[in-house]
Amino acid sequence: MTSRFDFQIAATDGAARTGTITMQRGTIRTPAFMPVGTAATVKAMKPADVRAGGADIILGNTYHLMLRPTAERIDRLGGLHKFMGWDRPILTDSGGYQVMSLSELTKRSEEGVVFKSHLDGSRHLMSPERSMEIQRLLGSDIVMAFDELVPTDTTRDIQAKAMERSMRWAKRSREGFDSGEAHAARAALFGIQQGALDEGLRKTSADALIDIGFDGYAIGGLAVGEGQEAMFGVLDYAPGQLPADKPRYLMGVGKPDDIVGAVERGVDMFDCVMPTRSGRTGQAFTREGPINIRNARFAEDTGPLDPECRCPACQGWSRAYIHHLVRAGEILGAMLMTEHNLFFYQALMADLRDAIAGGALKTFANDFRARYIREKQQ
Amino acid sequence: MTSRFDFQIAATDGAARTGTITMQRGTIRTPAFMPVGTAATVKAMKPADVRAGGADIILGNTYHLMLRPTAERIDRLGGLHKFMGWDRPILTDSGGYQVMSLSELTKRSEEGVVFKSHLDGSRHLMSPERSMEIQRLLGSDIVMAFDELVPTDTTRDIQAKAMERSMRWAKRSREGFDSGEAHAARAALFGIQQGALDEGLRKTSADALIDIGFDGYAIGGLAVGEGQEAMFGVLDYAPGQLPADKPRYLMGVGKPDDIVGAVERGVDMFDCVMPTRSGRTGQAFTREGPINIRNARFAEDTGPLDPECRCPACQGWSRAYIHHLVRAGEILGAMLMTEHNLFFYQALMADLRDAIAGGALKTFANDFRARYIREKQQ
């Protein structure tokens, strides 16, 4: 029988590592990018095409799924994998971020959070125990602890209190996860480090999580508007505060150059809506930076979205055609843009893994940055 | 070299026929259903999946394409086939129907029609000559003559005048088409019979078209709200007024039972937005009639959209999942519904062809009607 959760580092290069996570539903090559499948679908993509792009694992959103179609319904229908037709690993977030950013909070206490659904205004309780229950009902492979978020521009005292509560909730998450024995026997649980931009708080948080013990460790509370410089500032020390023999997951990151810099600093896993969401609005990633395909300069451009890309969209259709589709609001435009962007991200991860394995990450990263213009060219 | 346009009837059964149209870009099995690719895309589908569903030919809309991205741009980009990635035959309509139904007409005369774009209010002239030019620029394989439409509930005098003008325009269409020699050497031109619900006008129109001479003959002016009974009333005589050795095309039809009845009456080709458009709004076709997948009764239905369907959507996903996707407004919902509906239509056409070839059309059609409930079940 395949192990429940086994992380093997095949090679390191500076702080960066490449390896594999082996789970019952499949192997995850790291550094890994997880496409976001919010509402039981990676938007505008069939699962087979997500896989063909190179994804070993996708992310599902607890908050969205608990509200529609509900975790209980997904459980009755055989779990999230069967429901959406993806048989490889799924990581589910805890719901905490969306509860606090998308819904109207009506109560926040040590017990948990009461919130109103953004869909119909109905009231729901979210707590560490409930989050574990929902992720179990979904049939998640990698379950995230439920934590409390505060903005990075609040006071150190507020950040410290939120971090401390998050650590108490991490322990309750561990207990809640372990109580679901059949699920715990095959799934993994990740803790989430908090502490905003404060190295001391980050260290306290890391130690508390290590004391509880998790299969992997996420770096939370970043990519919330603090900017790349501040984020990299935290990533200069945060990964080193976490166990070297466990995967490190930077939640909600990011742009391609964010990922390159985070991998250089020792991060193993990423998720972000960037390739899917921005694809639907007309932003295509290329080796030279993102382009806005709606721009008039692409109206008669017969080249592919990215001349160096080998994705199906770039093999089959021109910038001119996709420009037309996106301008006309055609669904196929969203499909082709998403397919390309996901493929671009996965190709970047493959390049990063190869560079680390070959001891050439610094050269690769510098070459990447020399060409890549972060901001969208109009 | 493959022939320009060769229609061979392999078998007949009553008034119905099955055969093939051979053109340079491919063979069309008849009776044929042509998915509608309005704006250079069959909405929510990749061309390879349209083909995998069984389509031999698709339809492009002259009106939409002339406005965006314009026929001239498509010509500069190498033609519609290359632009959208479909290398088999494309039939283009004349633009007449959309000019008169979607745009604001500013002038209607013997010369043609001046109209305002529904996109930006810009003014355009449409005439038989301009329609032929646009369809040539698009690189159409089957070009439709430009005609004038009037509602079926107008007076016989109005209908007669519109039909007579359409026959003059048919002659100008023939001349315009023939003047594009390189295109005319590989493409086909169809005339369109008019005459509303009047057998005498239909006969006059048919004779005028035959006198001009076309590769195929469309039955126009139906499926515009007159109802199935009135439409079948015309189809009881109209196909017989047209040459037996040329394809007959019923424009804009229709629901599955409309198609069955029209095939029984001798029609060879169809197009309709029904499978694509209704798929995007939640209507799925089944052997027992259409269902509204948004209905709460499908929320935990683990069966496929249609238990007898072999399409990819029915092989991979449940009604419960697609119900969730469509309710959540997910693009994948539109993709799976469209794929299923197009597959359903093409499977029906294949069944009709087989039934005609086997001399069993009447049995097939009666069995179909005995099960199929035309109106959507809520």
Side-chain angles (χ1 to χ4, degrees), chain B residues 167-216:
Chain B
M167 296 306 101
R168 294 191 294 274
W169 285 2
K171 186 159 174 53
R172 284 166 56 189
S173 294
R174 175 85 257 175
E175 291 164 357
F177 177 85
D178 290 340
S179 73
E181 290 181 14
H183 182 237
R186 62 156 196 78
L189 180 65
F190 279 26
I192 306 176
Q193 181 197 44
Q194 292 292 350
L197 307 181
D198 187 291
E199 186 168 356
L201 294 181
R202 288 271 169 194
K203 174 70 171 143
T204 304
S205 178
D207 289 345
L209 293 175
I210 292 165
D211 192 51
I212 300 166
F214 291 95
D215 297 304

Side-chain angles (χ1 to χ4, degrees), chain B residues 3-20:
Chain B
S3 64
R4 183 184 61 83
F5 189 86
D6 181 46
F7 180 48
Q8 294 292 335
I9 296 173
T12 61
D13 187 356
R17 315 97 69 79
T18 183
T20 52

Side-chain angles (χ1 to χ4, degrees), chain B residues 19-32:
Chain B
T20 52
I21 298 168
T22 305
M23 301 192 74
Q24 289 184 21
R25 283 206 173 91
T27 295
I28 303 155
R29 296 163 288 181
T30 64

Side-chain angles (χ1 to χ4, degrees), chain A residues 310-322:
Chain A
R310 303 175 64 85
C311 84
C314 286
Q315 301 317 301
W317 295 277
S318 65
R319 286 173 167 184
Y321 181 60
I322 298 172

Side-chain angles (χ1 to χ4, degrees), chain B residues 40-53:
Chain B
T41 161
V42 177
K43 290 185 194 297
M45 295 285 289
K46 286 186 174 180
D49 296 325
V50 175
R51 173 62 186 160

Side-chain angles (χ1 to χ4, degrees), chain B residues 260 264 361-371:
Chain B
V260 171
E264 287 181 292
L361 179 60
K362 185 161 186 152
T363 302
F364 172 82
N366 286 339
D367 289 350
F368 176 87
R369 282 186 284 261
R371 291 187 67 194

Side-chain angles (χ1 to χ4, degrees), chain A residues 38-49 65 68-69 72-73 76-77 82-86 280 296 299-302 312-313 316-318 320-325 327-332 334-336 339, chain B residues 38-49 65 68-69 72-73 76-77 82-86 280 296 299-302 312-313 316-318 320-325 327-332 334-336 339:
Chain A
T38 299
T41 162
V42 176
K43 290 184 195 298
M45 296 285 288
K46 285 186 176 180
D49 296 325
L65 295 171
R68 183 172 60 193
E72 285 71 16
R73 175 168 289 164
R76 285 193 295 273
L77 292 168
K82 184 178 176 190
F83 186 58
M84 69 182 291
W86 172 266
R280 296 196 305 282
E300 299 199 4
D301 186 334
T302 57
W317 295 277
S318 65
Y321 181 60
I322 298 172
H323 166 90
H324 162 71
L325 292 177
R327 284 236 185 170
E330 287 288 347
I331 288 174
L332 184 59
M335 291 163 59
L336 296 178
E339 182 167 40
Chain B
T38 299
T41 161
V42 177
K43 290 185 194 297
M45 295 285 289
K46 286 186 174 180
D49 296 325
L65 294 171
R68 183 171 61 193
E72 285 71 16
R73 175 168 289 163
R76 286 194 295 274
L77 292 167
K82 185 178 176 191
F83 186 57
M84 69 181 292
W86 172 265
R280 295 196 305 284
E300 300 200 2
D301 186 333
T302 57
W317 295 276
S318 64
Y321 181 60
I322 298 171
H323 166 90
H324 162 71
L325 292 176
R327 283 236 185 169
E330 287 288 346
I331 288 174
L332 184 57
M335 291 162 60
L336 296 179
E339 183 166 40

Side-chain angles (χ1 to χ4, degrees), chain A residues 9-151:
Chain A
I9 296 173
T12 62
D13 186 356
R17 314 98 68 79
T18 183
T20 51
I21 298 168
T22 305
M23 300 192 74
Q24 290 185 20
R25 281 205 174 91
T27 294
I28 303 156
R29 295 162 289 179
T30 65
F33 179 79
M34 302 183 281
V36 177
T38 299
T41 162
V42 176
K43 290 184 195 298
M45 296 285 288
K46 285 186 176 180
D49 296 325
V50 175
R51 173 62 187 160
D56 294 332
I57 176 172
I58 62 172
L59 181 144
N61 284 117
T62 286
Y63 171 79
H64 292 84
L65 295 171
M66 74 182 282
L67 296 179
R68 183 172 60 193
T70 77
E72 285 71 16
R73 175 168 289 164
I74 288 177
D75 178 48
R76 285 193 295 273
L77 292 168
L80 183 56
H81 295 78
K82 184 178 176 190
F83 186 58
M84 69 182 291
W86 172 266
D87 61 5
R88 290 178 176 270
I90 297 176
L91 180 147
T92 46
D93 64 13
S94 71
Y97 180 80
Q98 279 80 16
V99 161
M100 297 177 211
S101 63
L102 292 182
S103 71
E104 185 187 333
L105 284 187
T106 58
K107 194 179 155 204
R108 190 192 278 235
S109 69
E110 184 65 21
E111 169 61 18
V113 174
V114 177
F115 68 95
K116 278 191 182 175
S117 161
H118 74 290
L119 294 177
D120 63 5
S122 57
R123 257 166 217 271
H124 302 266
L125 167 72
M126 185 58 110
S127 65
E129 293 75 17
R130 177 64 178 145
S131 177
M132 295 305 107
E133 182 184 23
I134 291 169
Q135 294 181 74
R136 184 166 58 239
L137 288 168
L138 296 174
S140 172
D141 299 288
I142 299 181
V143 169
M144 298 305 297
F146 184 73
D147 58 357
E148 183 172 32
L149 302 180
V150 292

